[in-house]
Amino acid sequence: MFETKTDHISLLVPGSISSEYGGSRKSLKRHWNQLSRLQRNFIFIAIVVVVITLLLLIPNDKPKENFNEETNHIKIEPFDEPKPAKPIFQNVLPNQIDESIKESPNENLNQNSQIVDSILEEPKEQSNDENNIKNAIDTIERETEGAKDFKGSTNNRQKAVVDAFKHAWKGYKEFAWGHDNLKPMSMGSHDWFGLGLTIVDSLDTLYIMDLQEEFEEARNWIEMYLKFDKNVEVNLFEVTIRVLGGLLSTYHLSGDKMFLTKAIDLGNRLLPCFDSPSGIPFSDINLSTMKAHSPKWSPDSSTSEVTTIQLEFRDLSRSTGDSNYEEISARINEKVHSLPKKDGLVPIFINANTGTFRNFATISLGARGDSYYEYLLKQWLQTGKKDDDFIIGDYKTAIGGVLEHLVKETPKEHHVYIGELINGKDFKPKMDHLTCYLPGTLLLGHKNGMPPTHLKLAQDLLETCYQTYMKQPTQLAPEITYFNLNGESESDLYVKTTDAHNLLRPEFVESLYYFYALTGNATYQDMGWNIFQAFEKYTKVKNGYTSIGNVKSVLNVKPRDMMESFFLGETLKYFYLLFSDDRKEIDLEKFVFNSEAHPLPIRTN
């Protein structure tokens, strides 16, 4: 707060004497009356000028945003500045694309480059024409019915989740507004891409919880300050599922076209990732220069990352009426479909230049492999369950491979779990918490026609994932759990010290939500309530919630001072929906959740 020191001003009429030296109020009045009208007007004007000057010099009492000085990223403006005119994104809209770029999906995969170039080579002067942009957005035909109404929390458990969200939001707003993540203990922020990830990830959660004031704060920041023409390196997968998915989901729920405008700008800037020699997209891109490349740490990309973008790009096509986004991203499916696999199972690394999997790479349904399988099912659902779609065939084959090669059972307590194949062949009894998304996905598939073996595996895995929580003193799951394979351990489940952290992840809560929403069984709500209370007890701090380093001790949980955006975007959203009295608050026959818990509409054409 800047302070302005203002001296007192004394205005004395000539000939007057201060009362401090014996003068009286009557003498002042007498001198005033003796002045001419011109003199009195002059003094009056002078007083007005002085008063106005003093008012202008009084410091503003409104506190400035207090961002952590160690974060020297982009300047984040305060959230409550006056709203300017709607921003104009700096790229071409879909209906400005020449019809010649709409290639057949059966053309050679290397024609991606021609399509991308056609999109990006539009005349630059059109991108700044506000009228053209407004008219283009206004003519987009939408299949949604407009804004969806949500009634807010209806029971004590939902209200507790809303209170948790408000507590986390308050800390984020006070100490990290506009930054990617909150550091609640040091009262600072952490930036990954500098795109306000927590705000964008939270948009549809705010809308679903009917937190109207907080939603307007977030919406205004998005409109005024979320700009993609900036010199930052971003990951295609992370930005697609969090930012593009968050914007599209909120557009569908709220009917606000501003979110679609932002989504189109971002989608266009990500398109050069698809301009690779193989048809497998590059994993990283600079949003300003729009130059894409493989990850700096390796020539190979994570398989899950390059195969978990189709839901969002398909929805962008169907929201704008332009097929190019969907066609380009769908070619990844064709390419991966053509590659050799182990009974449908894929290695966790793939090369964008050669279009091949890394030799002897690990096969896992955890990190770097998980959402490949998730998006096979969900793409099929998103497009109305086409019977002749090879994607659902790949999904069935893959789950068959899981049952054949990855499913094991512990010898004592008979916990069913999914392990990994090291070098593609050696079994390792290790399961990431990330894998706990799979029970919900398997049940969703079974409800849509997948075989009974999928249901049995879903039920068994759900119980095992629950035990990874309940067997810890904190009743919070570790990042990785190991299982007793051949009686080498006294316990059927054990956790290594290096894997004992909990990052506030949503995957198991997501599965509980699917089990409740698809069966109506309140047992799954009770299971979720136990876990929610553990989060409240061991991860809640004064200014939000923090990941912890040790779930094996209630006395020393080792707070890690980080609240990632997915806690608000996914974990608390799934808790809220899990505890709803209306298990169709989000109708799973009309919406499909992307990998970041952003619901997108199911469309049949």
Side-chain angles (χ1 to χ4, degrees):
M1 178 75 70
F2 294 100
E3 295 186 359
T4 303
K5 183 177 180 181
T6 306
D7 295 325
H8 293 287
I9 297 177
S10 176
L11 185 64
L12 296 178
V13 179
S16 66
I17 303 174
S18 172
S19 59
E20 183 180 353
Y21 292 95
S24 66
R25 295 183 181 274
K26 292 183 179 180
S27 64
L28 288 174
K29 183 178 180 180
R30 183 173 62 251
H31 285 299
W32 174 261
N33 291 332
Q34 290 176 348
L35 296 175
S36 67
R37 179 179 296 178
L38 179 62
Q39 289 174 315
R40 280 183 284 183
N41 288 341
F42 176 79
I43 294 173
F44 178 76
I45 293 173
I47 292 173
V48 171
V49 170
V50 170
V51 170
I52 292 175
T53 303
L54 288 174
L55 291 175
L56 292 175
L57 291 176
I58 292 176
N60 184 3
D61 290 334
K62 180 182 174 181
K64 290 188 175 181
E65 296 288 346
N66 183 22
F67 295 120
N68 192 344
E69 293 181 357
E70 70 183 25
T71 306
N72 55 356
H73 293 271
I74 59 170
K75 179 183 178 182
I76 307 297
E77 300 292 344
F79 70 89
D80 52 356
E81 292 288 334
K83 290 177 63 174
K86 288 191 176 183
I88 304 172
F89 57 81
Q90 301 296 314
N91 216 314
V92 61
L93 286 173
N95 63 351
Q96 296 172 322
I97 300 171
D98 190 86
E99 289 293 323
S100 64
I101 68 175
K102 295 187 177 181
E103 304 290 347
S104 167
N106 296 321
E107 294 295 328
N108 190 289
L109 290 171
N110 289 332
Q111 291 179 346
N112 290 358
S113 177
Q114 299 174 10
I115 296 179
V116 172
D117 289 344
S118 298
I119 293 174
L120 299 179
E121 287 176 359
E122 285 294 313
K124 294 292 184 181
E125 59 269 20
Q126 291 185 5
S127 63
N128 288 321
D129 189 338
E130 185 173 11
N131 290 328
N132 286 348
I133 291 172
K134 183 179 184 301
N135 292 335
I137 290 293
D138 287 343
T139 57
I140 291 173
E141 294 183 1
R142 296 172 51 228
E143 296 180 26
T144 54
E145 298 177 354
K148 181 174 172 58
D149 291 328
F150 292 92
K151 54 184 175 291
S153 57
T154 59
N155 58 63
N156 289 333
R157 287 181 175 180
Q158 270 197 322
K159 290 175 183 176
V161 177
V162 171
D163 288 342
F165 186 98
K166 287 182 175 180
H167 177 71
W169 186 258
K170 180 177 181 294
Y172 172 76
K173 188 170 124 178
E174 184 172 357
F175 300 110
W177 184 256
H179 291 280
D180 288 340
N181 302 310
L182 168 68
K183 299 177 72 174
M185 303 188 72
S186 59
M187 296 178 288
S189 61
H190 169 266
D191 274 316
W192 189 4
F193 306 133
L195 297 177
L197 290 182
T198 293
I199 297 177
V200 187
D201 241 356
S202 301
L203 283 169
D204 52 10
T205 306
L206 289 164
Y207 198 85
I208 290 169
M209 289 183 176
D210 197 33
L211 295 175
Q212 298 179 19
E213 180 179 341
E214 291 84 353
F215 179 79
E216 282 303 313
E217 292 173 348
R219 185 218 177 272
N220 292 343
W221 186 88
I222 296 291
E223 182 177 40
M224 291 187 286
Y225 302 118
L226 181 62
K227 301 184 187 302
F228 300 117
D229 186 16
K230 55 179 58 178
N231 185 27
V232 293
E233 294 279 329
V234 302
N235 177 269
L236 170 65
F237 161 73
E238 295 289 357
V239 168
T240 296
I241 65 170
R242 298 186 193 221
V243 184
L244 185 60
L247 292 170
L248 288 170
S249 173
T250 310
Y251 161 63
H252 292 300
L253 295 179
S254 70
D256 189 335
K257 293 179 181 178
M258 183 275 292
F259 297 111
L260 178 59
T261 304
K262 296 284 185 178
I264 295 170
D265 183 21
L266 177 59
N268 286 335
R269 292 182 183 280
L270 297 176
L271 285 177
C273 288
F274 299 92
D275 186 11
S276 73
S278 69
I280 297 298
F282 291 116
S283 64
D284 295 87
I285 189 169
N286 184 295
L287 287 180
S288 178
T289 65
M290 292 191 286
K291 292 183 178 180
H293 56 84
S294 298
K296 294 180 180 179
W297 51 269
S298 168
D300 300 327
S301 301
S302 299
T303 301
S304 62
E305 290 188 358
V306 300
T307 56
T308 311
I309 52 181
Q310 293 91 340
L311 288 181
E312 298 79 8
F313 278 89
R314 180 178 290 110
D315 187 74
L316 187 57
S317 274
R318 298 182 180 207
S319 297
T320 61
D322 187 273
S323 63
N324 287 288
Y325 305 104
E326 178 173 1
E327 290 176 3
I328 292 172
S329 62
R331 295 181 182 187
I332 304 168
N333 294 331
E334 298 173 26
K335 179 63 178 178
V336 176
H337 174 69
S338 69
L339 295 176
K341 308 175 186 68
K342 187 180 183 71
D343 292 330
L345 303 177
V346 297
I348 62 173
F349 291 108
I350 191 169
N351 191 292
N353 289 300
T354 64
T356 58
F357 293 120
R358 180 190 291 182
N359 292 331
F360 309 111
T362 295
I363 291 175
S364 172
L365 270 74
R368 305 190 186 284
D370 50 358
S371 49
Y372 161 71
Y373 306 95
E374 174 191 3
Y375 267 40
L376 289 177
L377 175 68
K378 290 183 174 179
Q379 287 184 77
W380 178 69
L381 295 176
Q382 184 189 32
T383 54
K385 297 187 288 188
K386 297 178 182 177
D387 293 335
D388 60 348
D389 197 333
F390 68 84
I391 294 177
I392 194 60
D394 286 352
Y395 176 74
K396 292 178 183 178
T397 302
I399 300 305
V402 170
L403 289 164
E404 176 70 21
H405 300 289
L406 301 182
V407 174
K408 300 288 183 181
E409 184 176 313
T410 61
K412 299 177 183 178
E413 299 176 346
H414 304 288
H415 297 300
V416 174
Y417 65 96
I418 294 179
E420 299 179 347
L421 292 181
I422 307 302
N423 298 325
K425 58 180 181 178
D426 299 324
F427 185 83
K428 187 174 184 179
K430 162 185 175 289
M431 188 169 79
D432 295 353
H433 180 272
L434 290 168
T435 309
C436 287
Y437 82 92
L438 188 59
T441 298
L442 287 169
L443 181 64
L444 181 64
H446 175 70
K447 286 293 184 179
N448 285 279
M450 298 299 105
T453 52
H454 292 207
L455 173 62
K456 179 65 166 60
L457 181 58
Q459 293 169 330
D460 291 343
L461 283 177
L462 189 84
E463 174 61 25
T464 300
C465 286
Y466 186 59
Q467 292 305 320
T468 64
Y469 283 81
M470 293 299 107
K471 285 185 177 292
Q472 300 306 321
T474 57
Q475 295 194 332
L476 290 174
E479 182 72 359
I480 297 172
T481 300
Y482 283 82
F483 296 85
N484 192 357
L485 184 59
N486 296 311
E488 70 280 0
S489 171
E490 294 182 1
S491 174
D492 269 9
L493 283 73
Y494 61 96
V495 180
K496 297 181 179 180
T497 301
T498 53
D499 303 323
H501 49 285
N502 182 291
L503 304 182
L504 310 175
R505 287 198 187 277
E507 284 75 20
F508 182 58
V509 187
E510 173 185 354
S511 283
L512 287 175
Y513 160 67
Y514 279 114
F515 268 74
Y516 166 67
L518 295 172
T519 70
N521 190 336
T523 298
Y524 305 116
Q525 293 180 309
D526 296 336
M527 295 165 70
W529 182 245
N530 291 337
I531 295 171
F532 177 77
Q533 289 180 305
F535 275 123
E536 286 288 289
K537 187 173 182 178
Y538 295 108
T539 71
K540 185 176 183 178
V541 293
K542 180 180 178 181
N543 297 304
Y545 291 79
T546 180
S547 56
I548 59 176
N550 184 19
V551 299
K552 300 197 295 182
S553 172
V554 297
L555 300 177
N556 184 22
V557 297
K558 298 180 181 179
R560 299 176 68 155
D561 192 23
M562 179 63 68
M563 187 183 79
E564 294 201 46
S565 70
F566 57 68
F567 180 65
L568 300 181
E570 297 187 76
T571 309
L572 291 183
K573 179 188 296 163
Y574 280 130
F575 271 129
Y576 181 83
L577 294 172
L578 170 63
F579 299 143
S580 177
D581 295 323
D582 178 10
R583 60 191 178 99
K584 288 191 174 183
E585 192 152 2
I586 297 292
D587 191 340
L588 294 177
E589 294 183 1
K590 296 180 179 179
F591 287 90
V592 59
F593 284 90
N594 84 338
S595 195
E596 191 74 6
H598 298 306
L600 301 172
I602 292 173
R603 309 185 195 217
T604 58
N605 60 359

